[in-house]
Amino acid sequence: MAAGMDLTPGPLADMVRNTPTVLWNDSADLVELRESIGFGAVGATCNPVIAYTTINRWRDIWTPRIREIADANPTMGEAGIGWAAVRQMSVEAAELLYPIFEQHAGRNGRLSIQTDPRFHRDAAALADQAEEFAKLAPNMIVKIPATEVGIAAMEEATYRGVSINATVSFSVPQALEVGAAVERGLSRREAEGLDISLMGPVVTIMVGRLDDWLKVAVERDGIDIEKAHLEWAGVAAFKRAYQVFQERGYRARLLSAAFRNLLQWSELIGGDVVISPPFSWQQKIQESGIAATPRIDIPVDEEILASLNRIEDFRRAYEPDGMSMAEFASFPPTLRTLRQFLASDADMDALVRDVIVPNPES
């Protein structure tokens, strides 16, 4: 994928040069993204947590920009100002990636911007905002949560020509339902003679967040399990989903996110997939000395799977029919992640408030 690029030597460069697996940076922070491109990154992602963290980290840059947005929009509320800043951040990252987008004919070089989590109950609002965000730059890809409501929005947004990225997604059944919805959206466009040549949908599985929840579940339920086996749950789900995607011929690619260990990189190499670690994890991969050897098709050890299968929520996440679409919204990792995204929206509101209504006592 990056054979002609002058890359920083290391396992990530070996991966992108020698396998179909590509690297995206799990942040729209321009400082990190520039260095990640040197590792071979051909895309980047953003979400409410990342957006808030980046703006809070670079307050010297963003405080005057937030004031400018507020001054230019005197009736705009805190949420509107915050989201205007997120739009600016996303457009700037998209500009940095645009040459890669042209080189890869739309398959990579994309900035993934997330819809407002406060719309998570409204499919029409999600689809409309996805269409709006897609128009911010030619190489935008838009995140929508993989709930029943969100999947309906993803099909509609795909039909409208939006390249989507499923987020709040942790399981094989979620990934498969999204893959099917994307296919329906693409097929509707094709049936009407509409162009899909530059569309590049992806389906995220937040592998580390599945692991996080299962660690809580075994503690809560008193399940005696080898702790090392819990590090494989997200990897196992991703490998299973990849196998079924290949069998069904889904055109969307899987994307691995929410890193918690190096297995979530090394075990997924070799597939036509996206690996999207935070920049700090890219640095750990570069320093690991682990060879970038294709392992996506190597099954997880049967002893580990047998151990994980003792956990009900692992079975729900691993089996293709482990959950119905109606259950996605109440799956514990979904609830935990949505709450975190909604909390980051509130944090962003508070950050904006401190700029436009400063505390006179501080």
Side-chain angles (χ1 to χ4, degrees):
M1 277 290 192
M5 296 174 64
D6 184 17
L7 302 180
T8 304
L12 291 171
D14 294 343
M15 177 187 77
V16 300
R17 283 199 174 107
N18 301 321
T19 81
T21 309
V22 299
L23 174 70
W24 289 12
N25 185 58
D26 196 17
S27 170
D29 184 313
L30 294 181
V31 174
E32 292 182 350
L33 180 53
R34 288 189 182 97
E35 193 163 349
S36 182
I37 289 171
F39 292 158
V42 291
T45 65
C46 194
N47 64 38
V49 176
I50 292 170
Y52 169 75
T53 300
T54 301
I55 289 174
N56 194 43
R57 177 184 180 188
W58 301 106
R59 285 222 185 191
D60 57 329
I61 295 172
W62 282 101
T63 295
R65 293 178 71 168
I66 288 169
R67 287 200 188 101
E68 287 176 7
I69 294 168
D71 290 344
N73 300 275
T75 63
M76 185 178 282
E78 294 159 355
I81 294 168
W83 275 96
V86 172
R87 287 175 176 85
Q88 285 188 10
M89 176 194 307
S90 301
V91 167
E92 289 168 2
E95 287 175 355
L96 187 60
L97 291 164
Y98 188 72
I100 299 170
F101 176 79
E102 289 190 308
Q103 177 189 351
H104 288 246
R107 188 165 170 79
N108 295 298
R110 292 185 176 273
L111 187 282
S112 186
I113 182 173
Q114 185 160 325
T115 48
D116 190 334
R118 286 173 282 209
F119 292 161
H120 70 94
R121 292 160 53 88
D122 188 337
L126 288 169
D128 289 346
Q129 190 174 63
E131 188 174 19
E132 176 213 334
F133 283 175
K135 294 175 181 176
L136 293 173
N139 54 330
M140 284 294 183
I141 186 170
V142 184
K143 290 182 174 180
I144 299 174
T147 59
E148 186 170 21
V149 169
I151 290 168
M154 282 187 255
E155 178 179 344
E156 176 61 22
T158 300
Y159 166 67
R160 297 184 195 179
V162 178
S163 291
I164 65 94
N165 177 0
T167 187
V168 193
S169 174
F170 320 90
S171 68
V172 177
Q174 284 176 289
L176 296 182
E177 290 289 357
V178 173
V182 169
E183 286 300 313
R184 291 192 297 271
L186 292 173
S187 296
R188 287 167 61 192
R189 286 186 65 80
E190 289 173 315
E192 296 182 17
L194 299 172
D195 185 33
I196 65 168
S197 62
L198 292 180
M199 295 179 69
V202 297
V203 182
T204 291
I205 297 181
M206 305 176 91
V207 288
R209 287 177 180 262
L210 177 61
D211 293 2
D212 290 346
W213 169 246
L214 295 183
K215 291 170 186 176
V216 172
V218 298
E219 184 71 21
R220 178 198 63 190
D221 298 338
I223 300 173
D224 185 16
I225 189 170
E226 180 68 43
K227 291 193 186 315
H229 291 177
L230 293 168
E231 303 298 323
W232 285 86
V235 168
F238 194 97
K239 284 176 180 272
R240 184 78 180 274
Y242 182 71
Q243 178 187 19
V244 181
F245 264 54
Q246 297 301 108
E247 292 169 354
R248 297 185 183 179
Y250 288 159
R251 285 173 278 187
R253 286 177 296 171
L254 288 170
L255 182 151
S256 171
F259 275 58
R260 302 294 187 267
N261 60 55
L262 290 172
L263 296 171
Q264 292 160 354
W265 165 70
S266 62
E267 285 292 321
L268 307 180
I269 297 170
D272 182 14
V273 301
V274 179
I275 305 292
S276 184
F279 184 71
S280 61
W281 274 98
Q282 293 171 48
Q283 293 173 310
K284 291 175 184 178
I285 292 167
Q286 288 289 85
E287 296 165 3
S288 70
I290 299 172
T293 304
R295 296 186 59 83
I296 188 73
D297 294 323
I298 298 177
V300 174
D301 184 270
E302 288 295 332
E303 180 183 353
I304 294 173
L305 280 179
S307 183
L308 292 171
N309 269 308
R310 296 170 55 209
I311 310 168
E312 179 184 1
D313 280 341
F314 174 75
R315 297 194 300 272
R316 297 175 72 198
Y318 183 71
E319 295 299 334
D321 59 354
M323 284 186 284
S324 68
M325 276 207 292
E327 295 177 285
F328 295 165
S330 60
F331 190 45
T334 299
L335 296 171
R336 285 160 61 97
T337 302
L338 270 177
R339 287 178 62 86
Q340 185 180 15
F341 287 167
L342 289 164
S344 290
D345 263 356
D347 289 340
M348 183 71 82
D349 290 350
L351 187 154
V352 171
R353 186 180 312 123
D354 286 343
V355 174
I356 66 172
V357 190
N359 184 349
E361 299 176 11
S362 61

PDB file of all heavy atoms in Angstrom, residues 170-202:
ATOM      1  N   PHE A 170     -18.838  -3.522  18.831  1.00  0.00           N
ATOM      2  CA  PHE A 170     -17.946  -4.370  19.628  1.00  0.00           C
ATOM      3  C   PHE A 170     -18.059  -5.851  19.286  1.00  0.00           C
ATOM      4  O   PHE A 170     -17.391  -6.670  19.910  1.00  0.00           O
ATOM      5  CB  PHE A 170     -18.293  -4.213  21.123  1.00  0.00           C
ATOM      6  CG  PHE A 170     -18.604  -2.807  21.502  1.00  0.00           C
ATOM      7  CD1 PHE A 170     -19.909  -2.332  21.435  1.00  0.00           C
ATOM      8  CD2 PHE A 170     -17.606  -1.938  21.882  1.00  0.00           C
ATOM      9  CE1 PHE A 170     -20.215  -1.021  21.752  1.00  0.00           C
ATOM     10  CE2 PHE A 170     -17.894  -0.616  22.205  1.00  0.00           C
ATOM     11  CZ  PHE A 170     -19.206  -0.160  22.132  1.00  0.00           C
ATOM     12  N   SER A 171     -18.933  -6.198  18.354  1.00  0.00           N
ATOM     13  CA  SER A 171     -19.322  -7.599  18.235  1.00  0.00           C
ATOM     14  C   SER A 171     -19.476  -8.030  16.793  1.00  0.00           C
ATOM     15  O   SER A 171     -19.645  -7.201  15.883  1.00  0.00           O
ATOM     16  CB  SER A 171     -20.660  -7.819  18.969  1.00  0.00           C
ATOM     17  OG  SER A 171     -21.710  -7.150  18.282  1.00  0.00           O
ATOM     18  N   VAL A 172     -19.438  -9.343  16.607  1.00  0.00           N
ATOM     19  CA  VAL A 172     -19.658  -9.925  15.281  1.00  0.00           C
ATOM     20  C   VAL A 172     -21.058  -9.608  14.763  1.00  0.00           C
ATOM     21  O   VAL A 172     -21.199  -9.160  13.617  1.00  0.00           O
ATOM     22  CB  VAL A 172     -19.387 -11.444  15.306  1.00  0.00           C
ATOM     23  CG1 VAL A 172     -19.683 -12.066  13.948  1.00  0.00           C
ATOM     24  CG2 VAL A 172     -17.941 -11.724  15.722  1.00  0.00           C
ATOM     25  N   PRO A 173     -22.129  -9.826  15.544  1.00  0.00           N
ATOM     26  CA  PRO A 173     -23.455  -9.522  14.999  1.00  0.00           C
ATOM     27  C   PRO A 173     -23.626  -8.068  14.602  1.00  0.00           C
ATOM     28  O   PRO A 173     -24.259  -7.772  13.578  1.00  0.00           O
ATOM     29  CB  PRO A 173     -24.429  -9.919  16.121  1.00  0.00           C
ATOM     30  CG  PRO A 173     -23.617 -10.276  17.302  1.00  0.00           C
ATOM     31  CD  PRO A 173     -22.218 -10.514  16.853  1.00  0.00           C
ATOM     32  N   GLN A 174     -23.061  -7.128  15.372  1.00  0.00           N
ATOM     33  CA  GLN A 174     -23.145  -5.723  14.974  1.00  0.00           C
ATOM     34  C   GLN A 174     -22.425  -5.491  13.647  1.00  0.00           C
ATOM     35  O   GLN A 174     -22.965  -4.850  12.734  1.00  0.00           O
ATOM     36  CB  GLN A 174     -22.521  -4.825  16.047  1.00  0.00           C
ATOM     37  CG  GLN A 174     -23.376  -4.624  17.283  1.00  0.00           C
ATOM     38  CD  GLN A 174     -22.648  -3.801  18.323  1.00  0.00           C
ATOM     39  OE1 GLN A 174     -21.695  -4.272  18.931  1.00  0.00           O
ATOM     40  NE2 GLN A 174     -23.080  -2.563  18.521  1.00  0.00           N
ATOM     41  N   ALA A 175     -21.210  -6.006  13.533  1.00  0.00           N
ATOM     42  CA  ALA A 175     -20.442  -5.809  12.303  1.00  0.00           C
ATOM     43  C   ALA A 175     -21.175  -6.390  11.097  1.00  0.00           C
ATOM     44  O   ALA A 175     -21.209  -5.771  10.018  1.00  0.00           O
ATOM     45  CB  ALA A 175     -19.059  -6.447  12.449  1.00  0.00           C
ATOM     46  N   LEU A 176     -21.769  -7.563  11.257  1.00  0.00           N
ATOM     47  CA  LEU A 176     -22.454  -8.199  10.133  1.00  0.00           C
ATOM     48  C   LEU A 176     -23.710  -7.426   9.739  1.00  0.00           C
ATOM     49  O   LEU A 176     -24.010  -7.295   8.538  1.00  0.00           O
ATOM     50  CB  LEU A 176     -22.805  -9.642  10.487  1.00  0.00           C
ATOM     51  CG  LEU A 176     -21.614 -10.569  10.745  1.00  0.00           C
ATOM     52  CD1 LEU A 176     -22.097 -11.984  11.040  1.00  0.00           C
ATOM     53  CD2 LEU A 176     -20.649 -10.577   9.569  1.00  0.00           C
ATOM     54  N   GLU A 177     -24.450  -6.920  10.708  1.00  0.00           N
ATOM     55  CA  GLU A 177     -25.639  -6.141  10.374  1.00  0.00           C
ATOM     56  C   GLU A 177     -25.253  -4.844   9.665  1.00  0.00           C
ATOM     57  O   GLU A 177     -25.929  -4.415   8.723  1.00  0.00           O
ATOM     58  CB  GLU A 177     -26.462  -5.836  11.624  1.00  0.00           C
ATOM     59  CG  GLU A 177     -27.152  -7.045  12.226  1.00  0.00           C
ATOM     60  CD  GLU A 177     -28.315  -7.570  11.376  1.00  0.00           C
ATOM     61  OE1 GLU A 177     -28.636  -6.966  10.327  1.00  0.00           O
ATOM     62  OE2 GLU A 177     -28.901  -8.592  11.762  1.00  0.00           O
ATOM     63  N   VAL A 178     -24.156  -4.231  10.095  1.00  0.00           N
ATOM     64  CA  VAL A 178     -23.695  -3.026   9.409  1.00  0.00           C
ATOM     65  C   VAL A 178     -23.237  -3.364   7.991  1.00  0.00           C
ATOM     66  O   VAL A 178     -23.577  -2.655   7.033  1.00  0.00           O
ATOM     67  CB  VAL A 178     -22.563  -2.339  10.190  1.00  0.00           C
ATOM     68  CG1 VAL A 178     -21.990  -1.173   9.369  1.00  0.00           C
ATOM     69  CG2 VAL A 178     -23.053  -1.837  11.537  1.00  0.00           C
ATOM     70  N   GLY A 179     -22.458  -4.454   7.854  1.00  0.00           N
ATOM     71  CA  GLY A 179     -22.012  -4.855   6.523  1.00  0.00           C
ATOM     72  C   GLY A 179     -23.172  -5.069   5.575  1.00  0.00           C
ATOM     73  O   GLY A 179     -23.128  -4.642   4.408  1.00  0.00           O
ATOM     74  N   ALA A 180     -24.235  -5.691   6.069  1.00  0.00           N
ATOM     75  CA  ALA A 180     -25.420  -5.928   5.240  1.00  0.00           C
ATOM     76  C   ALA A 180     -26.127  -4.620   4.902  1.00  0.00           C
ATOM     77  O   ALA A 180     -26.599  -4.422   3.772  1.00  0.00           O
ATOM     78  CB  ALA A 180     -26.377  -6.887   5.955  1.00  0.00           C
ATOM     79  N   ALA A 181     -26.205  -3.699   5.879  1.00  0.00           N
ATOM     80  CA  ALA A 181     -26.862  -2.412   5.638  1.00  0.00           C
ATOM     81  C   ALA A 181     -26.105  -1.597   4.596  1.00  0.00           C
ATOM     82  O   ALA A 181     -26.706  -0.946   3.729  1.00  0.00           O
ATOM     83  CB  ALA A 181     -26.976  -1.634   6.939  1.00  0.00           C
ATOM     84  N   VAL A 182     -24.779  -1.620   4.676  1.00  0.00           N
ATOM     85  CA  VAL A 182     -23.971  -0.910   3.686  1.00  0.00           C
ATOM     86  C   VAL A 182     -24.203  -1.500   2.297  1.00  0.00           C
ATOM     87  O   VAL A 182     -24.342  -0.764   1.306  1.00  0.00           O
ATOM     88  CB  VAL A 182     -22.481  -0.952   4.074  1.00  0.00           C
ATOM     89  CG1 VAL A 182     -21.606  -0.448   2.919  1.00  0.00           C
ATOM     90  CG2 VAL A 182     -22.231  -0.118   5.324  1.00  0.00           C
ATOM     91  N   GLU A 183     -24.257  -2.827   2.229  1.00  0.00           N
ATOM     92  CA  GLU A 183     -24.518  -3.462   0.931  1.00  0.00           C
ATOM     93  C   GLU A 183     -25.863  -3.018   0.361  1.00  0.00           C
ATOM     94  O   GLU A 183     -25.983  -2.741  -0.837  1.00  0.00           O
ATOM     95  CB  GLU A 183     -24.493  -4.990   1.070  1.00  0.00           C
ATOM     96  CG  GLU A 183     -23.113  -5.583   1.245  1.00  0.00           C
ATOM     97  CD  GLU A 183     -22.198  -5.277   0.069  1.00  0.00           C
ATOM     98  OE1 GLU A 183     -22.631  -5.445  -1.098  1.00  0.00           O
ATOM     99  OE2 GLU A 183     -21.044  -4.856   0.314  1.00  0.00           O
ATOM    100  N   ARG A 184     -26.874  -2.940   1.220  1.00  0.00           N
ATOM    101  CA  ARG A 184     -28.183  -2.498   0.738  1.00  0.00           C
ATOM    102  C   ARG A 184     -28.114  -1.053   0.231  1.00  0.00           C
ATOM    103  O   ARG A 184     -28.682  -0.713  -0.816  1.00  0.00           O
ATOM    104  CB  ARG A 184     -29.233  -2.613   1.858  1.00  0.00           C
ATOM    105  CG  ARG A 184     -29.562  -4.051   2.233  1.00  0.00           C
ATOM    106  CD  ARG A 184     -30.793  -4.125   3.122  1.00  0.00           C
ATOM    107  NE  ARG A 184     -30.629  -3.461   4.403  1.00  0.00           N
ATOM    108  CZ  ARG A 184     -30.162  -4.040   5.504  1.00  0.00           C
ATOM    109  NH1 ARG A 184     -29.810  -5.325   5.474  1.00  0.00           N
ATOM    110  NH2 ARG A 184     -30.065  -3.372   6.638  1.00  0.00           N
ATOM    111  N   GLY A 185     -27.409  -0.197   0.982  1.00  0.00           N
ATOM    112  CA  GLY A 185     -27.279   1.189   0.551  1.00  0.00           C
ATOM    113  C   GLY A 185     -26.529   1.319  -0.760  1.00  0.00           C
ATOM    114  O   GLY A 185     -26.928   2.085  -1.650  1.00  0.00           O
ATOM    115  N   LEU A 186     -25.436   0.577  -0.903  1.00  0.00           N
ATOM    116  CA  LEU A 186     -24.667   0.607  -2.145  1.00  0.00           C
ATOM    117  C   LEU A 186     -25.494   0.070  -3.308  1.00  0.00           C
ATOM    118  O   LEU A 186     -25.469   0.633  -4.422  1.00  0.00           O
ATOM    119  CB  LEU A 186     -23.380  -0.210  -1.991  1.00  0.00           C
ATOM    120  CG  LEU A 186     -22.316   0.336  -1.041  1.00  0.00           C
ATOM    121  CD1 LEU A 186     -21.195  -0.682  -0.867  1.00  0.00           C
ATOM    122  CD2 LEU A 186     -21.756   1.672  -1.530  1.00  0.00           C
ATOM    123  N   SER A 187     -26.217  -1.018  -3.062  1.00  0.00           N
ATOM    124  CA  SER A 187     -27.028  -1.615  -4.127  1.00  0.00           C
ATOM    125  C   SER A 187     -28.131  -0.679  -4.585  1.00  0.00           C
ATOM    126  O   SER A 187     -28.456  -0.613  -5.786  1.00  0.00           O
ATOM    127  CB  SER A 187     -27.613  -2.950  -3.657  1.00  0.00           C
ATOM    128  OG  SER A 187     -26.580  -3.883  -3.408  1.00  0.00           O
ATOM    129  N   ARG A 188     -28.733   0.061  -3.647  1.00  0.00           N
ATOM    130  CA  ARG A 188     -29.756   1.039  -4.027  1.00  0.00           C
ATOM    131  C   ARG A 188     -29.159   2.120  -4.925  1.00  0.00           C
ATOM    132  O   ARG A 188     -29.777   2.539  -5.909  1.00  0.00           O
ATOM    133  CB  ARG A 188     -30.367   1.665  -2.772  1.00  0.00           C
ATOM    134  CG  ARG A 188     -31.295   0.725  -1.998  1.00  0.00           C
ATOM    135  CD  ARG A 188     -31.617   1.292  -0.620  1.00  0.00           C
ATOM    136  NE  ARG A 188     -32.304   2.595  -0.689  1.00  0.00           N
ATOM    137  CZ  ARG A 188     -32.472   3.384   0.374  1.00  0.00           C
ATOM    138  NH1 ARG A 188     -32.001   3.014   1.568  1.00  0.00           N
ATOM    139  NH2 ARG A 188     -33.108   4.531   0.247  1.00  0.00           N
ATOM    140  N   ARG A 189     -27.958   2.576  -4.596  1.00  0.00           N
ATOM    141  CA  ARG A 189     -27.301   3.571  -5.457  1.00  0.00           C
ATOM    142  C   ARG A 189     -27.008   2.989  -6.845  1.00  0.00           C
ATOM    143  O   ARG A 189     -27.268   3.635  -7.867  1.00  0.00           O
ATOM    144  CB  ARG A 189     -25.984   4.049  -4.826  1.00  0.00           C
ATOM    145  CG  ARG A 189     -26.165   4.987  -3.657  1.00  0.00           C
ATOM    146  CD  ARG A 189     -24.825   5.543  -3.167  1.00  0.00           C
ATOM    147  NE  ARG A 189     -24.163   6.396  -4.140  1.00  0.00           N
ATOM    148  CZ  ARG A 189     -24.463   7.667  -4.364  1.00  0.00           C
ATOM    149  NH1 ARG A 189     -25.450   8.253  -3.692  1.00  0.00           N
ATOM    150  NH2 ARG A 189     -23.791   8.379  -5.250  1.00  0.00           N
ATOM    151  N   GLU A 190     -26.464   1.793  -6.850  1.00  0.00           N
ATOM    152  CA  GLU A 190     -26.138   1.168  -8.131  1.00  0.00           C
ATOM    153  C   GLU A 190     -27.381   0.981  -8.995  1.00  0.00           C
ATOM    154  O   GLU A 190     -27.347   1.193 -10.216  1.00  0.00           O
ATOM    155  CB  GLU A 190     -25.455  -0.182  -7.894  1.00  0.00           C
ATOM    156  CG  GLU A 190     -24.047  -0.067  -7.334  1.00  0.00           C
ATOM    157  CD  GLU A 190     -23.451  -1.409  -6.959  1.00  0.00           C
ATOM    158  OE1 GLU A 190     -24.156  -2.220  -6.318  1.00  0.00           O
ATOM    159  OE2 GLU A 190     -22.286  -1.646  -7.305  1.00  0.00           O
ATOM    160  N   ALA A 191     -28.490   0.605  -8.357  1.00  0.00           N
ATOM    161  CA  ALA A 191     -29.731   0.377  -9.103  1.00  0.00           C
ATOM    162  C   ALA A 191     -30.232   1.657  -9.761  1.00  0.00           C
ATOM    163  O   ALA A 191     -30.935   1.609 -10.783  1.00  0.00           O
ATOM    164  CB  ALA A 191     -30.807  -0.193  -8.182  1.00  0.00           C
ATOM    165  N   GLU A 192     -29.871   2.800  -9.197  1.00  0.00           N
ATOM    166  CA  GLU A 192     -30.295   4.079  -9.756  1.00  0.00           C
ATOM    167  C   GLU A 192     -29.216   4.725 -10.614  1.00  0.00           C
ATOM    168  O   GLU A 192     -29.328   5.886 -11.016  1.00  0.00           O
ATOM    169  CB  GLU A 192     -30.714   5.024  -8.630  1.00  0.00           C
ATOM    170  CG  GLU A 192     -31.938   4.528  -7.868  1.00  0.00           C
ATOM    171  CD  GLU A 192     -32.393   5.497  -6.786  1.00  0.00           C
ATOM    172  OE1 GLU A 192     -31.982   6.681  -6.825  1.00  0.00           O
ATOM    173  OE2 GLU A 192     -33.156   5.066  -5.911  1.00  0.00           O
ATOM    174  N   GLY A 193     -28.131   3.972 -10.854  1.00  0.00           N
ATOM    175  CA  GLY A 193     -27.054   4.490 -11.689  1.00  0.00           C
ATOM    176  C   GLY A 193     -26.205   5.545 -11.009  1.00  0.00           C
ATOM    177  O   GLY A 193     -25.526   6.330 -11.690  1.00  0.00           O
ATOM    178  N   LEU A 194     -26.219   5.582  -9.669  1.00  0.00           N
ATOM    179  CA  LEU A 194     -25.435   6.563  -8.925  1.00  0.00           C
ATOM    180  C   LEU A 194     -24.030   6.035  -8.658  1.00  0.00           C
ATOM    181  O   LEU A 194     -23.823   4.823  -8.485  1.00  0.00           O
ATOM    182  CB  LEU A 194     -26.138   6.895  -7.600  1.00  0.00           C
ATOM    183  CG  LEU A 194     -27.533   7.501  -7.746  1.00  0.00           C
ATOM    184  CD1 LEU A 194     -28.223   7.605  -6.386  1.00  0.00           C
ATOM    185  CD2 LEU A 194     -27.459   8.872  -8.420  1.00  0.00           C
ATOM    186  N   ASP A 195     -23.072   6.930  -8.605  1.00  0.00           N
ATOM    187  CA  ASP A 195     -21.662   6.556  -8.514  1.00  0.00           C
ATOM    188  C   ASP A 195     -21.309   6.054  -7.110  1.00  0.00           C
ATOM    189  O   ASP A 195     -21.727   6.632  -6.107  1.00  0.00           O
ATOM    190  CB  ASP A 195     -20.797   7.766  -8.858  1.00  0.00           C
ATOM    191  CG  ASP A 195     -19.312   7.425  -8.896  1.00  0.00           C
ATOM    192  OD1 ASP A 195     -18.973   6.288  -9.267  1.00  0.00           O
ATOM    193  OD2 ASP A 195     -18.496   8.307  -8.562  1.00  0.00           O
ATOM    194  N   ILE A 196     -20.551   4.970  -7.044  1.00  0.00           N
ATOM    195  CA  ILE A 196     -20.008   4.497  -5.768  1.00  0.00           C
ATOM    196  C   ILE A 196     -18.494   4.340  -5.849  1.00  0.00           C
ATOM    197  O   ILE A 196     -17.872   3.822  -4.927  1.00  0.00           O
ATOM    198  CB  ILE A 196     -20.642   3.149  -5.334  1.00  0.00           C
ATOM    199  CG1 ILE A 196     -20.277   2.032  -6.317  1.00  0.00           C
ATOM    200  CG2 ILE A 196     -22.151   3.266  -5.174  1.00  0.00           C
ATOM    201  CD1 ILE A 196     -20.603   0.649  -5.814  1.00  0.00           C
ATOM    202  N   SER A 197     -17.891   4.804  -6.942  1.00  0.00           N
ATOM    203  CA  SER A 197     -16.486   4.488  -7.214  1.00  0.00           C
ATOM    204  C   SER A 197     -15.528   5.070  -6.184  1.00  0.00           C
ATOM    205  O   SER A 197     -14.450   4.505  -5.961  1.00  0.00           O
ATOM    206  CB  SER A 197     -16.094   4.978  -8.613  1.00  0.00           C
ATOM    207  OG  SER A 197     -16.215   6.391  -8.709  1.00  0.00           O
ATOM    208  N   LEU A 198     -15.886   6.199  -5.549  1.00  0.00           N
ATOM    209  CA  LEU A 198     -14.996   6.814  -4.572  1.00  0.00           C
ATOM    210  C   LEU A 198     -15.455   6.604  -3.134  1.00  0.00           C
ATOM    211  O   LEU A 198     -14.946   7.242  -2.223  1.00  0.00           O
ATOM    212  CB  LEU A 198     -14.860   8.314  -4.846  1.00  0.00           C
ATOM    213  CG  LEU A 198     -14.116   8.693  -6.126  1.00  0.00           C
ATOM    214  CD1 LEU A 198     -14.066  10.208  -6.274  1.00  0.00           C
ATOM    215  CD2 LEU A 198     -12.712   8.114  -6.142  1.00  0.00           C
ATOM    216  N   MET A 199     -16.415   5.693  -2.926  1.00  0.00           N
ATOM    217  CA  MET A 199     -16.882   5.435  -1.567  1.00  0.00           C
ATOM    218  C   MET A 199     -15.977   4.411  -0.882  1.00  0.00           C
ATOM    219  O   MET A 199     -15.467   3.496  -1.539  1.00  0.00           O
ATOM    220  CB  MET A 199     -18.331   4.965  -1.583  1.00  0.00           C
ATOM    221  CG  MET A 199     -19.290   6.044  -2.076  1.00  0.00           C
ATOM    222  SD  MET A 199     -21.024   5.529  -2.132  1.00  0.00           S
ATOM    223  CE  MET A 199     -21.389   5.382  -0.372  1.00  0.00           C
ATOM    224  N   GLY A 200     -15.771   4.587   0.419  1.00  0.00           N
ATOM    225  CA  GLY A 200     -14.872   3.704   1.154  1.00  0.00           C
ATOM    226  C   GLY A 200     -15.363   3.387   2.548  1.00  0.00           C
ATOM    227  O   GLY A 200     -14.723   3.767   3.546  1.00  0.00           O
ATOM    228  N   PRO A 201     -16.500   2.703   2.694  1.00  0.00           N
ATOM    229  CA  PRO A 201     -17.047   2.440   4.030  1.00  0.00           C
ATOM    230  C   PRO A 201     -16.185   1.481   4.844  1.00  0.00           C
ATOM    231  O   PRO A 201     -15.538   0.590   4.292  1.00  0.00           O
ATOM    232  CB  PRO A 201     -18.412   1.808   3.721  1.00  0.00           C
ATOM    233  CG  PRO A 201     -18.244   1.179   2.368  1.00  0.00           C
ATOM    234  CD  PRO A 201     -17.320   2.100   1.620  1.00  0.00           C
ATOM    235  N   VAL A 202     -16.189   1.686   6.147  1.00  0.00           N
ATOM    236  CA  VAL A 202     -15.504   0.776   7.066  1.00  0.00           C
ATOM    237  C   VAL A 202     -16.424   0.458   8.236  1.00  0.00           C
ATOM    238  O   VAL A 202     -17.358   1.201   8.529  1.00  0.00           O
ATOM    239  CB  VAL A 202     -14.164   1.345   7.586  1.00  0.00           C
ATOM    240  CG1 VAL A 202     -13.176   1.550   6.450  1.00  0.00           C
ATOM    241  CG2 VAL A 202     -14.371   2.625   8.359  1.00  0.00           C
TER     242      VAL A 202
END
